[in-house]
Amino acid sequence: KPAAQPRKPRPSGAAKLFVLDTNVLMHDPMSLFRFEEHDIFLPMITLEELDGHKKGMTEVARNVRQVSRELDQLAAGLKSSSVEEMSKGLPLAGTGHREAEGNLFFQTELIDAPLPQGLPQGKADNQILGVVQALKDRHPGREVVLVSKDINMRIKARALGLAAEDYFNDKTLDDGDLLYTGVLP
């Protein structure tokens, strides 16, 4: 029987705040629970975009429905449906995902962050970038990171001075040096 893997020690720094783009949730419906001790922030426009993709029998539609069920389970753990309670964050481990030690935050108020004039204000990606900018301004001592599968959105974020990362949870191995070369000494 294989030995149980020891849990990684928690880093001593402050937990990051990851803002998830819609495409991350559409790609991996369990992505909410894959950020370990870090917190997740979902802008309202992300929820609106998810709502627009839930119909049909495609894999994306099934993933969106799964995300919606997970979000509903997390929200069901609230004692009340008050904005104050929701703004404190929902423990991601509340639905049995013990590896997720952070909290989930929903956008509970209008966040108005001015973007450069060249970016159209009505586009969903630009609204998410505005939310990331506003969170960065509100939490100067905390690292706020946009996570997106959209390379152009990550480029725009970096051009605006915002941290951005791709979502890599579907990669099977981090270090190619560990792969078997096919040669034995």
Side-chain angles (χ1 to χ4, degrees):
K1 186 174 180 180
Q5 294 289 342
R7 187 164 179 115
K8 292 188 304 184
R10 183 176 175 158
S12 59
K16 295 178 184 177
L17 181 60
F18 287 105
V19 180
L20 299 189
D21 188 7
T22 312
N23 55 39
V24 172
L25 296 167
M26 290 167 47
H27 175 77
D28 179 5
M30 301 307 287
S31 61
L32 291 169
F33 308 105
R34 305 212 195 275
F35 289 88
E36 298 171 343
E37 75 275 4
H38 302 290
D39 295 331
I40 305 295
F41 187 92
L42 290 182
M44 276 299 167
I45 192 67
T46 297
L47 297 174
E48 287 293 326
E49 285 189 305
L50 285 174
D51 194 48
H53 289 90
K54 67 183 177 190
K55 291 183 172 62
M57 296 304 294
T58 65
E59 181 180 357
V60 168
R62 283 191 292 272
N63 286 350
V64 168
R65 289 192 297 272
Q66 178 64 33
V67 168
S68 296
R69 285 190 292 273
E70 294 291 342
L71 292 173
D72 186 49
Q73 270 190 310
L74 286 166
L78 291 172
K79 293 180 180 91
S80 70
S81 57
S82 70
V83 174
E84 294 80 23
E85 186 178 3
M86 183 76 92
S87 65
K88 292 176 185 174
L90 307 172
L92 288 165
T95 57
H97 297 274
R98 292 179 301 183
E99 69 279 6
E101 298 174 4
N103 290 311
L104 172 65
F105 295 92
F106 290 100
Q107 180 181 343
T108 57
E109 60 185 30
L110 177 65
I111 295 178
D112 189 25
L115 290 173
Q117 284 187 322
L119 294 176
Q121 298 297 320
K123 192 170 181 204
D125 285 357
N126 296 339
Q127 290 179 25
I128 293 171
L129 290 171
V131 168
V132 174
Q133 179 65 57
L135 289 171
K136 181 181 172 187
D137 294 343
R138 287 183 183 181
H139 306 284
R142 188 171 193 191
E143 188 173 358
V144 178
V145 181
L146 170 68
V147 180
S148 178
K149 298 294 293 172
D150 182 348
I151 192 168
N152 291 322
M153 187 166 176
R154 293 192 313 266
I155 291 169
K156 283 197 291 187
R158 290 181 187 122
L160 295 171
L162 303 171
E165 295 179 6
D166 194 355
Y167 179 72
F168 287 115
N169 194 62
D170 55 346
K171 305 295 186 228
T172 56
L173 191 60
D174 289 335
D175 192 352
D177 294 338
L178 298 175
L179 289 174
Y180 177 63
T181 63
V183 178
L184 290 173

